[in-house]
Amino acid sequence: MKRIISFSIGFLILSALTIHGQDTVKTWKTGGALGLNINQVALKNWAAGGENSIAVSGLVSLFANYKKDKVSWDNSLEIGYGLVKQGDIPFRKSDDKFILTSKWGREFVKNWKYSAFAELRTQMTNGYDYSKTPKQTISKIMAPGYLTLSAGGEYKPNDNFYALVSPVTGKLTFVKDKNLSDAGAFGVDTGKTVKAELGWLINSQYKRKVMEGIDFQSKLNLFGAYNNLKYVDVLWDNLLILKVNKYVNASINAQLLYDNDIKDTDGKAKVQLKEVIAVGILYSF
């Protein structure tokens, strides 16, 4: 599975390098951003109490987009990782994501395209349940991993919004770890490493400049399997960026996730929420 990750990165880099070919000024647009956030609390003889803490997180975001005549091909790679340490507790993971996306489209009428979409999501390091003694591994690279392939139509009236609707979508859930596979984790049948589902997909994005120095972006991904239309997988990601200057910014990220295949310790699927407020350095190119 490491080969898949390496191939995915190579695929995006190759797309970016294509800009050195002929007619690239008009057809390719590439760029990205590198971010680093650090938060620290240091206490000594502090009468009100508290604990020393440090949190570090980083972000790598790259894109390579092609546009010529009626054909477009958008590629993006997002990698995020964070660690936090509080008191005498060793560093623990606070963020870990690897998202590779590729979307091809061809306009057939104004604002509408035939579209093909592919996305790979996973993490890079192990995740643990620290409430157990000893700590229990609950996730690894490609455990879970999600590969989504779809074909449909995309509505894009402007650069700020698009909605891709696909009636034919394949979703593969990977659990490439024997212990997690034997436990039937993430909805994959016990002892299996892959679960295949056929269903429908809605993938959309809205972004806008709220005012000078403030940008907002919202992504919504909905998937429903045809063999169980009672449940819909939801991934809703919202990001607000406040730019102090060219390099310093503050951000608020809120994410909502629901997947009936991901069970809590009580065996029930629940709405998952994640919120991150960060201040740090962001270099865009």
Side-chain angles (χ1 to χ4, degrees):
M1 202 48 61
K2 291 181 179 180
R3 293 181 179 179
I4 294 179
I5 304 299
S6 299
F7 173 79
S8 301
I9 298 176
F11 172 76
L12 186 63
I13 293 175
L14 181 61
S15 299
L17 291 178
T18 308
I19 62 173
H20 296 295
Q22 294 182 341
D23 198 27
T24 56
V25 174
K26 297 181 180 179
T27 58
W28 281 96
K29 182 177 181 180
T30 64
L34 304 174
L36 178 65
N37 299 305
I38 301 176
N39 179 277
Q40 182 196 21
V41 176
L43 304 173
K44 184 176 181 181
N45 302 324
W46 191 252
E51 289 186 298
N52 296 338
S53 68
I54 183 171
V56 181
S57 63
L59 172 70
V60 177
S61 180
L62 306 172
F63 69 87
N65 298 336
Y66 173 89
K67 180 69 171 70
K68 185 176 182 181
D69 300 327
K70 295 183 178 182
V71 177
S72 63
W73 182 27
D74 299 338
N75 304 277
S76 65
L77 173 64
E78 185 174 344
I79 299 175
Y81 196 77
L83 295 170
V84 61
K85 184 182 187 303
Q86 186 167 358
D88 296 328
I89 299 174
F91 276 101
R92 294 180 177 180
K93 182 170 66 174
S94 59
D95 187 28
D96 188 357
K97 61 182 176 181
F98 179 100
I99 306 171
L100 177 68
T101 302
S102 184
K103 179 163 61 77
W104 176 91
R106 188 183 192 283
E107 186 177 42
F108 63 94
V109 294
K110 185 178 180 180
N111 299 333
W112 281 95
K113 298 178 182 179
Y114 299 115
S115 187
F117 175 81
E119 181 180 77
L120 174 66
R121 288 177 174 265
T122 187
Q123 58 186 21
M124 297 171 288
T125 61
N126 295 357
Y128 300 98
D129 181 355
Y130 291 99
S131 67
K132 305 290 180 61
T133 304
K135 64 184 181 183
Q136 180 179 331
T137 301
I138 56 175
S139 61
K140 290 186 174 183
I141 183 171
M142 293 305 290
Y146 302 99
L147 177 62
T148 302
L149 303 170
S150 68
E154 178 188 350
Y155 174 65
K156 187 175 182 179
N158 51 58
D159 291 336
N160 294 330
F161 174 79
Y162 76 78
L164 186 154
V165 180
S166 170
V168 183
T169 298
K171 179 182 178 182
L172 299 176
T173 302
F174 298 91
V175 179
K176 305 296 288 185
D177 176 77
K178 187 178 186 309
N179 291 332
L180 294 173
S181 173
D182 290 344
F186 304 105
V188 176
D189 291 340
T190 302
K192 303 292 185 180
T193 58
V194 181
K195 177 181 179 180
E197 297 175 281
L198 178 64
W200 58 268
L201 174 77
I202 296 177
N203 178 274
S204 64
Q205 175 179 291
Y206 172 74
K207 60 181 180 179
R208 64 167 296 181
K209 181 182 290 294
V210 179
M211 60 178 64
E212 189 63 34
I214 302 179
D215 296 326
F216 174 73
Q217 177 177 281
S218 182
K219 298 179 181 179
L220 178 63
N221 196 87
L222 305 174
F223 172 79
Y226 286 130
N227 66 344
N228 193 353
L229 292 174
K230 181 180 178 181
Y231 299 105
V232 176
D233 296 343
V234 181
L235 178 58
W236 187 22
D237 196 306
N238 297 279
L239 177 64
L240 183 68
I241 299 178
L242 299 87
K243 299 177 181 178
V244 178
N245 55 40
K246 184 177 180 180
Y247 300 109
V248 179
N249 77 94
S251 64
I252 303 174
N253 179 238
Q255 187 177 87
L256 181 150
L257 171 65
Y258 178 82
D259 188 332
N260 190 61
D261 292 327
I262 303 177
K263 309 296 185 182
D264 202 349
T265 54
D266 59 3
K268 297 180 180 179
K270 298 180 180 179
V271 174
Q272 303 174 56
L273 298 172
K274 181 179 180 181
E275 177 264 332
V276 178
I277 298 176
V279 178
I281 299 172
L282 182 69
Y283 172 68
S284 300
F285 55 92

